[in-house]
Amino acid sequence: MTQDPETGDIVVAREDAIYYYGPNGRGPSYAFEGPKKIIKVFKEYVGLICPPRVAQVSKSKTFRRLGGDEIDELFSSSSFTLLDTDLKYIAHTESLPAQVKDVFVEWGELFLLTMDGKLYRYQEKTLQQKLDILYQRNLYIHAINLAQKFGADKVQQNIIFRKYGDYLYQKGDFDTAMQQYLRAIDNTEPSQVIRRFLDTQRIHNLIDYLEELHDHDRATADHTTLLLNCYAKLKDTEKLDTFIRTPGSAKFDVETAITMCRQGGYFEQAAYLATKHGENEVVIDILIEDLKKYAEALQYIWRLEPETAYPVLMKYARSLIEHCPDEATKLFVEYYTGRYKPKEDVPAVAEVQAQTGGGTFQSLSALWTLPFMQRPKGESEQTTQTIPEQAESSDNDISQPPAYPIPRPRTAFSSFLAHPNQFITFLEALIQQDNLSKQDLTDLSTTLFEMYLENSNAASDATSKTQWQAKATGLIADSKSAEGATIDTSNVLLLSSLSRFSIGTTLVRERAGLYADIFRSYTSAKDTSGAISALRKYGTEDPSLYPLALGYFSSSAEVLNEAGVKEELQNVLRRINEDNLMAPLQVVKVLSQGGGVTMGMVKSYLSENISRERREIQTNRKLIESYRTETAAKKAELSDLETKPVVFQARRCSSCGRNLTLPTVHFMCKHSFHQECLNKPGIGMDADDKVECAICKPGNDTIKAIRRQQVESTEQHDLFKAALSRSTNRFGTVSEFFGRGVMNAVVPAGE
């Protein structure tokens, strides 16, 4: 009997077991049969000194005769055993050659004293040494218990689990081995375990290990791929649904999982994952490319925020318009007019769970209940309301659409290829907006005009063709001037020419003031009646049409013989003559080129021009004669002033009108003034003073200024060239500048 120094319990050793007694009575007991001589508690161990089992027959004479002294030594020996009562294993045992006198603890170590005077000291092995011994004997369960008892860290325990798993795997106990690998998953290289269970017969163990890897956030993209491949190989849809619908954040690579689900044909699961993790583009791609559910894809896009919806809408626009033309066009109109608002008629959570019971995806509408999607107001309070109720609440929602940058209209044009009717609907809706920039309005108008013409050419009946042409005409007829036009003139001309839409060509040329082009379009088409109508309509606006008409009417005898041409030719000649649009020689030259105009047709024009020329010549001659007479008179007057005396007979001052009194100033122009009236005191006293007649001075100054300007203009040849280029009568211009003295040689001032 002894006492446990740590707990204070009494430890009693009997032949059948070891018993513990405490203040509350009898405690646990541990079976260990055999006689016991000494018992000692050391730390967590119980030390026992046991005599040999044959000690009772040691005094038998028969045994003594057989063995002698050797038998005495055998009977005098004893055994020493250390028990770990907590872990229930023998920590140490040995046979001693002599009887044990005492067992005691000193200095924290265990000592044993024998009868022959020998003292044995026992030291406890380290934990690692103990574990190595247990490893050698394949006692992994005891090693695990020992490590846990001594508080070994997680890494050390995982090493034991892994060794135990390797031992069980070699024995062929794969299920139990996998359990140990799962316990050591935090510190085990996954590839070491995965390679051992790649056999098809062990795929269930592999699935367990891969699932545990994902639960411990140690799975890589390759692990996710392998796990999904295992599910696909077993066709275990239920487990696959459970795996991807794990609540909380995903413990696997989402992109890899989506890819593997799509490759394995599990498109609904892939769509669920993409929706849950906000991969909107992937969701739309699955709905369109894999499931071919274009209507659901369109509705999904309509539930996204504007900035998120635009990229996917543009990426899949052609497919959506191809299979859902009306709804897709409506979505485009809403977005490009700034009225886009995400739909909120989403099924409630309870209803979706009912739809998706059993882990199978019945409808992708279940995907619209995820947290990141917008929910209707009040849904958090009433999660069991039905879809019609939510749709009604959405219809009654009058909230303003969210603000977002509206893209330019031309970015959507390519999406409507091969869908002209939907394209026209889109363009007509956008062109009604008031906040369009000038460039966007031009793009919309030009494209809409082109689509009208295309539909007109493709129309099978005359009524439809007329309707489309009327729309095209109305589009370009609204603007009366080129500045206010929404369609570029060159574009209208090009499109009208390609589509053979003559009305459009005429309207745009009329708006741009290209009357000559309108007239030429009729003449090139040999449409004489149209040319006459254009001449009568636009002749007053553009007189240059009359020379063109003269050339066309006289171009051939066939044109000249058409109805109304000869009468119109006379009107053209009369207008050219009245407005002096062409010289008579030019008219004669034009008329002579076609060879169809006779002298009788132009007789009146020629006679009138000859008479007018004669009258002008006679008038010019009279004017020349008057200039000569006036010039001769001026020269004679100058000569008289220089050579003959002048008699001044004026009696009154030309300024004040009073009688002249001395001093008096007389001028050669026969004007006389009082000296004080000229306001020039001392006149005539200084020889350098120049006095001019106050009455004649303004006229003289004007003449001097004109002459000075003429002299200065003799060196300004640019003025002469500019006037000559602008003049319609160049000979008259040369004569005018010659009269100004431009042609005279300039004499330098120093010569």
Side-chain angles (χ1 to χ4, degrees):
M1 181 179 67
T2 186
Q3 184 180 16
D4 189 342
E6 294 183 0
T7 62
D9 294 341
I10 301 299
V11 183
V12 178
R14 296 180 180 177
E15 290 190 3
D16 58 340
I18 299 173
Y19 299 91
Y20 280 77
Y21 294 90
N24 298 325
R26 183 175 176 177
S29 60
Y30 304 96
F32 187 79
E33 295 183 356
K36 302 163 182 73
K37 180 179 179 182
I38 300 174
I39 183 171
K40 188 68 176 179
V41 176
F42 173 67
K43 297 182 179 179
E44 67 273 8
Y45 301 102
V46 175
L48 297 175
I49 302 297
C50 301
R53 294 181 180 273
V54 295
Q56 297 178 357
V57 295
S58 61
K59 298 180 180 180
S60 173
K61 295 180 179 180
T62 304
F63 280 97
R64 286 184 177 275
R65 286 196 300 269
L66 293 175
D69 295 337
E70 295 179 359
I71 294 299
D72 291 338
E73 292 179 2
L74 176 63
F75 291 157
S76 63
S77 65
S78 60
S79 64
F80 176 57
T81 304
L82 285 176
L83 302 178
D84 189 332
T85 56
D86 290 341
L87 301 181
K88 298 181 178 60
Y89 74 95
I90 299 174
H92 175 73
T93 182
E94 67 173 326
S95 295
L96 300 174
Q99 294 291 328
V100 178
K101 184 177 182 180
D102 191 14
V103 178
F104 59 93
V105 177
E106 193 65 43
W107 304 303
E109 294 183 351
L110 182 65
F111 293 90
L112 186 147
L113 180 62
T114 61
M115 291 294 186
D116 57 0
K118 293 182 179 180
L119 182 64
Y120 296 89
R121 184 180 68 175
Y122 294 89
Q123 293 179 333
E124 185 178 8
K125 294 182 180 294
T126 62
L127 176 61
Q128 186 60 46
Q129 291 174 333
K130 296 177 182 178
L131 293 176
D132 291 339
I133 295 173
L134 294 175
Y135 294 158
Q136 294 173 3
R137 300 179 181 180
N138 296 326
L139 300 175
Y140 294 99
I141 295 178
H142 292 291
I144 293 171
N145 295 333
L146 180 64
Q148 292 175 349
K149 178 181 178 181
F150 281 88
D153 57 13
K154 193 68 175 178
V155 176
Q156 185 67 34
Q157 294 185 34
N158 288 339
I159 293 175
I160 302 173
F161 294 143
R162 185 170 65 249
K163 289 180 177 292
Y164 189 26
D166 295 340
Y167 170 71
L168 294 173
Y169 181 84
Q170 293 175 358
K171 290 179 62 178
D173 190 357
F174 302 115
D175 294 338
T176 309
M178 178 53 68
Q179 294 177 5
Q180 303 306 317
Y181 287 135
L182 293 177
R183 297 176 69 180
I185 196 168
D186 291 333
N187 301 102
T188 304
E189 177 60 35
S191 59
Q192 298 177 0
V193 179
I194 292 174
R195 281 196 296 267
R196 295 187 174 188
F197 291 89
L198 289 177
D199 192 346
T200 306
Q201 297 178 354
R202 303 169 195 154
I203 192 171
H204 293 283
N205 300 125
L206 180 59
I207 289 176
D208 294 339
Y209 188 77
L210 292 173
E211 289 177 345
E212 195 70 19
L213 280 177
H214 285 84
D215 291 339
H216 284 74
D217 294 331
R218 296 199 62 209
T220 63
D222 294 335
H223 298 150
T224 303
T225 302
L226 182 58
L227 178 59
L228 295 177
N229 280 331
C230 292
Y231 287 149
K233 192 174 186 65
L234 296 178
K235 299 186 182 302
D236 194 344
T237 307
E238 183 176 354
K239 271 196 172 184
L240 177 60
D241 293 345
T242 304
F243 175 73
I244 66 175
R245 300 186 67 181
T246 303
S249 59
K251 298 180 180 180
F252 51 86
D253 186 76
V254 177
E255 183 177 355
T256 302
I258 293 174
T259 303
M260 293 307 302
C261 287
R262 296 183 68 179
Q263 291 178 356
Y266 297 98
F267 302 124
E268 288 83 0
Q269 286 81 350
Y272 176 85
L273 279 175
T275 307
K276 181 179 179 181
H277 297 280
E279 298 291 340
N280 299 309
E281 186 173 345
V282 178
V283 176
I284 304 303
D285 189 68
I286 294 172
L287 291 174
I288 293 178
E289 301 296 339
D290 299 331
L291 297 174
K292 308 300 181 183
K293 296 183 178 180
Y294 302 98
E296 289 192 21
L298 186 63
Q299 294 302 317
Y300 186 91
I301 294 175
W302 216 320
R303 286 165 172 81
L304 300 176
E305 291 298 322
E307 293 78 5
T308 308
Y310 179 69
V312 292
L313 176 62
M314 297 306 298
K315 182 176 181 180
Y316 302 100
R318 294 189 182 181
S319 298
L320 294 174
I321 295 175
E322 176 70 26
H323 297 87
C324 305
D326 296 334
E327 287 297 321
T329 303
K330 182 179 179 181
L331 176 56
F332 267 94
V333 171
E334 292 286 329
Y335 196 93
Y336 277 82
T337 55
R339 301 194 303 267
Y340 175 82
K341 184 170 62 173
K343 289 186 177 181
E344 297 180 347
D345 50 337
V346 185
V349 175
E351 184 175 353
V352 171
Q353 291 177 350
Q355 292 178 357
T356 60
T360 304
F361 294 83
Q362 301 295 334
S363 173
L364 286 181
S365 61
L367 306 179
W368 301 333
T369 63
L370 295 173
F372 77 94
M373 301 295 294
Q374 288 191 350
R375 304 303 304 273
K377 297 180 180 179
E379 187 182 57
S380 59
E381 300 176 359
Q382 299 179 357
T383 58
T384 59
Q385 60 186 2
T386 60
I387 296 177
E389 292 174 351
Q390 290 191 356
E392 182 179 357
S393 64
S394 178
D395 294 337
N396 295 331
D397 188 7
I398 58 174
S399 60
Q400 295 295 326
Y404 59 91
I406 301 176
R408 295 192 60 184
R410 67 180 306 116
T411 58
F413 289 176
S414 60
S415 303
F416 289 90
L417 292 177
H419 298 279
N421 293 331
Q422 285 73 25
F423 194 17
I424 290 175
T425 302
F426 173 75
L427 295 173
E428 289 177 343
L430 262 64
I431 206 171
Q432 302 298 327
Q433 301 298 306
D434 298 330
N435 56 349
L436 293 173
S437 64
K438 184 177 180 181
Q439 182 62 42
D440 291 341
L441 184 59
T442 300
D443 293 341
L444 290 171
S445 301
T446 304
T447 308
L448 185 58
F449 180 72
E450 181 181 2
M451 295 307 301
Y452 284 155
L453 295 183
E454 286 188 6
N455 279 16
S456 173
N457 294 333
S460 57
D461 56 296
T463 304
S464 300
K465 186 179 184 68
T466 303
Q467 291 177 352
W468 289 118
Q469 288 184 350
K471 287 187 175 183
T473 303
L475 192 62
I476 61 176
D478 294 338
S479 302
K480 301 300 182 182
S481 62
E483 291 76 9
T486 57
I487 308 179
D488 185 68
T489 302
S490 59
N491 290 334
V492 176
L493 291 176
L494 177 61
L495 295 174
S496 299
S497 177
L498 293 175
S499 301
R500 298 180 181 179
F501 184 53
S502 59
I503 300 176
T505 304
T506 302
L507 283 175
V508 73
R509 286 173 175 171
E510 179 180 347
R511 185 181 63 195
L514 303 175
Y515 304 117
D517 291 343
I518 297 175
F519 184 81
R520 290 192 185 97
S521 65
Y522 287 114
T523 58
S524 61
K526 300 299 181 181
D527 186 1
T528 304
S529 60
I532 294 175
S533 300
L535 179 64
R536 292 175 179 176
K537 183 176 181 180
Y538 308 118
T540 55
E541 300 289 338
D542 187 2
S544 64
L545 296 181
Y546 291 101
L548 295 177
L550 181 66
Y552 174 68
F553 292 153
S554 61
S555 61
S556 64
E558 291 79 6
V559 175
L560 194 61
N561 292 329
E562 292 187 24
V565 174
K566 294 181 180 180
E567 293 78 4
E568 194 64 30
L569 178 61
Q570 298 301 322
N571 295 332
V572 170
L573 289 173
R574 183 175 63 256
R575 186 61 182 269
I576 291 175
N577 188 31
E578 291 175 355
D579 296 344
N580 195 22
L581 300 177
M582 297 176 67
L585 291 178
Q586 293 176 325
V587 173
V588 173
K589 183 178 180 180
V590 172
L591 294 175
S592 62
Q593 291 178 353
V597 181
T598 61
M599 183 60 67
M601 296 179 184
V602 296
K603 180 179 180 181
S604 59
Y605 169 77
L606 293 176
S607 62
E608 184 178 351
N609 273 275
I610 292 172
S611 300
R612 187 180 69 250
E613 292 291 339
R614 287 177 178 176
R615 289 193 298 269
E616 289 180 359
I617 292 172
Q618 188 66 26
T619 301
N620 290 336
R621 286 177 178 176
K622 291 181 180 180
L623 187 60
I624 291 171
E625 187 64 28
S626 65
Y627 286 160
R628 287 176 177 175
T629 303
E630 185 179 357
T631 301
K634 292 294 182 181
K635 288 181 178 180
E637 185 178 356
L638 290 175
S639 178
D640 292 343
L641 290 175
E642 293 177 354
T643 59
K644 295 180 181 181
V646 178
V647 178
F648 299 98
Q649 297 179 350
R651 296 182 179 182
R652 294 183 179 276
C653 177
S654 298
S655 177
C656 64
R658 293 182 289 114
N659 292 330
L660 291 173
T661 59
L662 296 176
T664 302
V665 179
H666 301 281
F667 293 95
M668 300 300 290
C669 59
K670 302 297 181 71
H671 293 137
S672 301
F673 300 90
H674 293 113
Q675 185 175 359
E676 62 270 14
C677 290
L678 292 176
N679 198 18
K680 292 286 187 177
I683 290 295
M685 300 302 294
D686 190 354
D688 294 332
D689 290 339
K690 293 183 179 180
V691 181
E692 296 184 17
C693 174
I695 296 176
C696 298
K697 186 177 185 303
N700 294 336
D701 291 342
T702 301
I703 295 173
K704 290 178 181 179
I706 294 173
R707 181 56 185 167
R708 185 169 55 252
Q709 185 177 4
Q710 290 178 348
V711 173
E712 292 175 354
S713 64
T714 57
E715 297 181 356
Q716 297 177 354
H717 303 293
D718 294 339
L719 294 177
F720 172 68
K721 292 180 180 179
L724 193 63
S725 62
R726 294 192 304 267
S727 175
T728 57
N729 185 6
R730 295 190 175 186
F731 182 78
T733 303
V734 173
S735 301
E736 180 183 356
F737 274 83
F738 184 81
R740 295 178 184 177
V742 174
M743 306 301 176
N744 297 338
V746 179
V747 180
E751 295 183 359

